[in-house]
Amino acid sequence: MGLLTESAANNNHGLLDSYTTWLEEHPSALDSFEDMIDVAESKKLVLFLDYDGTLSPIVNDPDKAFMSDAMRAAVREVAYLFPTAIVSGRCIDKLNGFVKLDNVVYAGSHGMDIWTPSGSLKYADEGQQTKSIDEQGNKVVKFQPAQEFLPIVNEIIQVMEQKIKTFEGAMVEDNRFCVSVHYRNVNEKEVDTLKEMVHSTMKAYPNFRINGGKMVMEIKPSINWNKGRALEYLLDTFGFTSSSDFLPLYIGDDTTDEDAFEVIRGLRQGFPIIVSSVPRDTKASYSLRDPDEVMDFMVRLAKWKKAKSTT
């Protein structure tokens, strides 16, 4: 027993040392707040947020990934002060149901379903924007670059729901323009078999690709669109495409957020921030450990902006 305890302690020390080294390259956005704000002083800040693992904790049941009231209040506050968008793999209906805020822009299905008040002039001629009315009666412009794939997505959902019945704990989530196969609750010994089944099944759908996430396989149309492209689209709808005095911040925890981090690095302005308590490969410049630190960061951001407005 003593040997096991000592081994676990040594392992914990190793992880801590590794994380400390990783932080040297991806310093805490909270510890670096003053330096970041110095850069933002003369810029128009625009905020992009992932949802799962960023605004809400990762949970066993994806239908119960609720954000706290305190987190909702923090998001509401920053959204009053800066243009703010939530970019998630969830479908917009679920995302809206979780967040319940009307002063943010929503981009669901990994950016393949974006609802904005005005749309984008840059993409106006591509036939992928349609005017609509949301549930609150507000006029919105929907951008849906994968609309033609919707019938096949629905077919894949039906096929996968039948296939996963032999895997206890597996779940298929309909995210409208993409399909999520969750295996967090599947017996560890069966996970590889489940993954092989998904890959084998998707051979019949060559126009789709599979990406990995946190205990989930994401099935998406093979189009040149991702969270990075969604960020560019949203920057245009916010009026920043031809501007040089803006500063984008993108906070996310998943591999799908890396495309957005890459876009911000390419702009050579802004801060890509990863949410992680363990070292991992990332294009992010800064880090936050968990949703609690994300909330703390947004609270500090709001306080800075309000103090700046009164001086």
Side-chain angles (χ1 to χ4, degrees), residues 245-262:
D245 66 344
F246 70 96
L247 193 78
L249 273 73
Y250 189 107
I251 307 177
D253 77 305
D254 210 342
T255 53
T256 57
D257 297 309
E258 294 293 332
D259 294 312
F261 296 160
E262 186 173 15

Side-chain angles (χ1 to χ4, degrees), residues 233-251:
Y233 176 90
L234 289 164
L235 284 174
D236 190 51
T237 66
F238 288 141
F240 294 119
T241 296
S242 58
S243 173
S244 61
D245 66 344
F246 70 96
L247 193 78
L249 273 73
Y250 189 107
I251 307 177

Side-chain angles (χ1 to χ4, degrees), residues 164-171 183 185-187 190:
I164 68 160
K165 286 182 177 180
T166 57
F167 297 92
E168 185 177 352
M171 175 183 172
Y183 55 87
N185 299 318
V186 173
N187 187 308
E190 296 185 334

Side-chain angles (χ1 to χ4, degrees), residues 128-147:
Q128 296 165 334
Q129 290 189 152
T130 57
K131 294 181 179 180
S132 185
I133 304 292
D134 66 15
E135 292 182 357
Q136 289 74 41
N138 302 312
K139 293 181 179 179
V140 295
V141 176
K142 297 181 180 180
F143 178 72
Q144 299 171 327
Q147 182 70 37

Side-chain angles (χ1 to χ4, degrees), residues 25-287:
E25 295 184 13
H26 312 284
S28 165
L30 288 173
D31 294 343
S32 308
F33 187 81
E34 297 303 327
D35 292 336
M36 296 169 73
I37 290 309
D38 285 344
V39 178
E41 194 69 38
S42 60
K43 303 285 187 178
K44 295 175 182 176
L45 196 148
V46 54
L47 184 62
F48 300 92
L49 302 161
D50 179 34
Y51 183 76
D52 292 275
T54 299
L55 299 181
S56 74
I58 298 294
V59 294
N60 288 335
D61 184 348
D63 288 334
K64 295 181 179 178
F66 304 116
M67 66 192 302
S68 67
D69 290 339
M71 179 67 84
R72 183 173 292 104
V75 176
R76 181 188 292 112
E77 186 73 7
V78 293
Y80 279 130
L81 299 168
F82 315 104
T84 300
I86 298 179
V87 187
S88 171
R90 301 278 192 157
C91 67
I92 273 194
D93 289 343
K94 286 185 180 179
L95 192 58
N96 207 335
F98 280 136
V99 179
K100 299 177 182 177
L101 293 175
D102 58 9
N103 64 336
V104 301
V105 169
Y106 294 99
S109 303
H110 297 285
M112 288 184 283
D113 194 10
I114 304 176
W115 295 16
T116 63
S118 59
S120 165
L121 291 176
K122 183 178 179 181
Y123 293 86
D125 297 330
E126 296 189 13
Q128 296 165 334
Q129 290 189 152
T130 57
K131 294 181 179 180
S132 185
I133 304 292
D134 66 15
E135 292 182 357
Q136 289 74 41
N138 302 312
K139 293 181 179 179
V140 295
V141 176
K142 297 181 180 180
F143 178 72
Q144 299 171 327
Q147 182 70 37
E148 65 184 283
F149 292 93
L150 198 53
I152 308 176
V153 170
N154 292 331
E155 178 184 322
I156 291 171
I157 291 169
Q158 293 178 20
V159 171
M160 286 297 173
E161 284 179 341
Q162 289 297 317
K163 295 273 189 178
I164 68 160
K165 286 182 177 180
T166 57
F167 297 92
E168 185 177 352
M171 175 183 172
V172 174
E173 184 178 12
D174 177 359
N175 282 314
R176 188 161 173 75
F177 292 100
C178 56
V179 183
S180 300
V181 180
H182 298 273
Y183 55 87
R184 181 174 298 276
N185 299 318
V186 173
N187 187 308
E188 187 177 343
K189 295 179 180 179
E190 296 185 334
V191 169
D192 286 343
T193 305
L194 172 62
K195 289 182 177 181
E196 289 172 8
M197 180 276 291
V198 173
H199 281 284
S200 176
T201 301
M202 290 309 299
K203 288 179 181 178
Y205 303 94
N207 292 327
F208 285 75
R209 66 178 184 270
I210 303 171
N211 294 118
K214 291 184 175 179
M215 300 292 184
V216 64
M217 301 177 77
E218 302 281 7
I219 300 168
K220 298 180 284 188
S222 294
I223 61 173
N224 184 22
W225 199 262
N226 52 44
K227 287 185 175 182
R229 295 290 306 277
L231 184 148
E232 293 173 328
Y233 176 90
L234 289 164
L235 284 174
D236 190 51
T237 66
F238 288 141
F240 294 119
T241 296
S242 58
S243 173
S244 61
D245 66 344
F246 70 96
L247 193 78
L249 273 73
Y250 189 107
I251 307 177
D253 77 305
D254 210 342
T255 53
T256 57
D257 297 309
E258 294 293 332
D259 294 312
F261 296 160
E262 186 173 15
V263 166
I264 291 181
R265 292 181 75 96
L267 291 172
R268 298 184 181 278
Q269 57 188 33
F271 300 121
I273 304 171
I274 190 165
V275 183
S276 181
S277 59
V278 296
R280 51 188 284 194
D281 290 336
T282 180
K283 298 181 178 71
S285 302
Y286 294 90
S287 65

